[in-house]
Amino acid sequence: MIQHFFQIAWRNLMKRKFYSLINITGLAIGMACCLLITLNVQHELSYDQYHTKGDRIYRVLQTFRSVQQGENPGAPTPADFQVWGCAPVGPALRTDFPEVEKVVQFMSPVSLLLQHGEKRFQQDNLLFIDSTAFDVFSWKMVYGNPHTALSRPNSIVLTRTVAQKFFGNSDPVGQLLRVDNQDNYLVTGVMEDVPPNSQFSFNGLISMTTEKKQNPDIFNWWGYVDFYTYVLLKENSNIRSLQAQSSAFVKRHNAEDKGYSVSFEKMTGAYLHSVAGRQPGPTGSLLNVYLFSCIAVFIMLIACINFMNLSTARSLERAKEVGVRKVLGVRPSSLMWQFLFESVLLSLAAAIIALVLARTGASWVGKLSGKDLSYAHFFTPLMSAWMLAFTILVGIAAGIYPAWFLSGFRAIAVLKGKFNPSGEGISFRKALVIFQFTLSIALIAGTIIVYTQFK
């Protein structure tokens, strides 16, 4: 039966090539736009999801409000909290709370002149970070031992891109880098570049013990603010327990500063949900995610409605075919399945074209949005299965009304030449056209308004 359906569908497509081209192209453009928007939304939702322990990693937020002597500052608001803070809070959390498995701290990025032989580069985004970094975050080490690479002073781990600038593709572990024409740093590891969907962005990691050796006082000073603190909780631990004890924790360690307080924020949700200031990396907008998702849905609705209207508009040309097949004993349900099969076939053809268009436009959209959109995400087994299911669903959704409309023709009226589409069917098509134009005008007007305001 499938082969029979395919033969009839192919014959009709070849018979009406121009109509088929218009219908497939319209649906393909809508699908391509939806795919590109999905790429962007997926990228936004994937921030920091690559950490295998991400559900247990929390950022420590701190407030430093100016409070006069004897004044009660009251409860801090979310806007008061900052991601950066003082160094002593990390060791104090690890000591006071058994729920805390690991603590990792790093300082604001620095720029250093690195030299190896005749090669000299001013390298930005270098972080002084604790040796527990690779125990908490899922950064992949290419060369070196991740557990010991940052344990000794004057140790540095380079990203693959930076390591290639100095050492090519060879293993540089054990090599020395001259830093700012003063000290020699030992290369103890090379790691993969940080994924673009990460709140972290750096070119190398320097052991925190290096900074402790040079400036030991700042690690005991609650008023020195230049550290980012992350905690890894033990399994089955509850962050609410730490939050409930935060006030008592502050009183034990920094009772004199009445404007100081501590809070916690889950790292995997920080990109879209954080309200704290001074982020260590970029932040996104949950409103934009919802907005773009709605736009993708609207575009697919417009494309599906356009497909339905074109299919039903050509219904009169197939009225005699339906009438003859009904006289020959073909059941209406079989006719409906035939037209649905044709609709799904058109949808699959449109999906193939949409993939090509989206592949071509992905880099352009990435440059426009300032994001590294990875088209490879669409070719994972899970995403391929979802795309196939989505394509079939679109074909069914777009073809269900034309299939019902065409299979409902009365054979006798058609063969006698007395067939006319029902007024109810025409009214429905007009309503679809009005709805289609309404969505199109709203999208165009919204785009013009937003573009004008940005400009």
Side-chain angles (χ1 to χ4, degrees):
M1 180 179 290
I2 297 296
Q3 183 179 359
H4 177 66
F5 283 171
F6 185 82
Q7 289 176 346
I8 296 176
W10 182 256
R11 189 182 304 138
N12 280 292
L13 288 176
M14 292 298 100
K15 185 178 179 181
R16 303 174 179 86
K17 294 180 181 178
F18 184 69
Y19 153 76
S20 301
L21 179 64
I22 293 177
N23 221 4
I24 292 175
T25 303
L27 194 57
I29 293 174
M31 284 183 170
C33 293
C34 188
L35 283 175
L36 289 173
I37 293 175
T38 302
L39 268 177
N40 185 75
V41 170
Q42 184 189 45
H43 184 272
E44 293 293 284
L45 295 176
S46 68
Y47 262 77
D48 298 311
Q49 300 299 319
Y50 64 91
H51 296 288
T52 57
K53 303 175 184 177
D55 59 330
R56 296 190 284 133
I57 302 175
Y58 289 83
R59 310 196 303 187
V60 180
L61 306 183
Q62 303 173 60
T63 62
F64 299 88
R65 294 169 294 160
S66 299
V67 178
Q68 296 180 358
Q69 189 70 24
E71 183 180 341
N72 186 2
T77 64
D80 293 326
F81 286 103
Q82 306 288 332
V83 180
W84 63 325
C86 56
V89 69
L93 286 170
R94 187 172 58 248
T95 302
D96 287 21
F97 298 105
E99 299 96 329
V100 176
E101 181 178 327
K102 297 282 185 178
V103 174
V104 58
Q105 293 180 299
F106 60 90
M107 302 179 68
S108 299
V110 296
S111 176
L112 299 174
L113 177 63
L114 304 183
Q115 180 179 356
H116 178 72
E118 299 298 324
K119 297 180 180 179
R120 296 161 55 94
F121 297 99
Q122 186 71 31
Q123 199 62 62
D124 297 329
N125 288 335
L126 299 174
L127 299 181
F128 287 93
I129 195 167
D130 285 336
S131 60
T132 53
F134 291 97
D135 297 326
V136 176
F137 305 120
S138 300
W139 296 328
K140 297 180 180 179
M141 188 74 88
V142 181
Y143 300 113
N145 187 336
H147 304 294
T148 60
L150 296 170
S151 59
R152 297 168 58 185
N154 290 21
S155 299
I156 185 170
V157 174
L158 304 175
T159 60
R160 183 189 285 272
T161 299
V162 175
Q164 287 177 342
K165 289 165 58 176
F166 289 98
F167 307 101
N169 294 321
S170 61
D171 181 357
V173 173
Q175 298 289 332
L176 293 176
L177 284 174
R178 190 71 173 171
V179 179
D180 284 346
N181 294 319
Q182 296 177 355
D183 300 318
N184 290 324
Y185 282 17
L186 180 68
V187 178
T188 54
V190 175
M191 58 175 286
E192 293 287 359
D193 292 350
V194 182
N197 54 343
S198 174
Q199 63 179 267
F200 303 102
S201 177
F202 56 83
N203 295 310
L205 303 175
I206 305 172
S207 58
M208 186 69 83
T209 51
T210 308
E211 184 67 18
K212 287 181 179 179
K213 185 177 67 173
Q214 297 174 353
N215 300 294
D217 294 339
I218 64 175
F219 291 88
N220 300 313
W221 185 11
W222 286 84
Y224 185 85
V225 180
D226 192 32
F227 291 84
Y228 298 89
T229 304
Y230 288 71
V231 296
L232 173 66
L233 299 188
K234 295 179 180 178
E235 293 187 10
N236 301 321
S237 297
N238 192 342
I239 192 63
R240 294 178 182 175
S241 173
L242 272 71
Q243 189 65 63
Q245 302 176 62
S246 61
S247 297
F249 168 79
V250 170
K251 289 180 180 179
R252 283 196 302 271
H253 294 279
N254 194 22
E256 296 180 359
D257 189 350
K258 296 183 179 180
Y260 178 74
S261 56
V262 170
S263 184
F264 302 92
E265 181 178 69
K266 196 168 186 177
M267 188 191 71
T268 52
Y271 176 74
L272 291 176
H273 301 278
S274 179
V275 295
R278 178 113 185 218
Q279 304 284 343
T283 57
S285 170
L286 190 61
L287 178 61
N288 285 343
V289 171
Y290 290 140
L291 180 61
F292 280 108
S293 299
C294 290
I295 290 174
V297 172
F298 287 162
I299 290 176
M300 280 309 305
L301 277 176
I302 293 171
C304 289
I305 291 172
N306 187 65
F307 183 92
M308 293 168 62
N309 285 333
L310 285 174
S311 298
T312 52
R314 305 290 294 187
S315 60
L316 290 176
E317 294 187 9
R318 304 192 65 177
K320 289 185 179 180
E321 174 194 341
V322 173
V324 170
R325 294 177 69 183
K326 280 192 172 183
V327 169
L328 293 176
V330 179
R331 292 175 297 177
S333 60
S334 181
L335 287 172
M336 189 169 183
W337 280 113
Q338 166 65 43
F339 295 129
L340 276 177
F341 181 83
E342 292 183 16
S343 177
V344 171
L345 191 64
L346 286 175
S347 180
L348 289 171
I352 295 173
I353 298 174
L355 285 171
V356 175
L357 294 175
R359 179 68 182 89
T360 305
S363 59
W364 180 81
V365 173
K367 292 179 181 178
L368 185 66
S369 61
K371 297 178 175 64
D372 184 12
L373 301 182
S374 177
Y375 193 79
H377 288 308
F378 276 111
F379 295 102
T380 62
L382 180 61
M383 284 303 300
S384 298
W386 274 108
M387 287 177 62
L388 179 62
F390 174 73
T391 301
I392 295 174
L393 181 63
V394 168
I396 294 174
I400 188 69
Y401 175 71
W404 173 80
F405 184 74
L406 290 169
S407 63
F409 289 168
R410 296 179 58 189
I412 297 177
V414 169
L415 295 178
K416 286 184 177 181
K418 298 180 180 179
F419 169 75
N420 285 310
S422 64
E424 182 179 341
I426 294 176
S427 299
F428 181 70
R429 284 169 51 199
K430 289 181 178 179
L432 287 178
V433 171
I434 292 172
F435 182 64
Q436 181 185 19
F437 281 143
T438 301
L439 288 180
S440 301
I441 292 171
L443 287 176
I444 293 171
T447 302
I448 292 174
I449 291 171
V450 171
Y451 174 77
T452 304
Q453 287 185 342
F454 270 118
K455 189 174 181 180

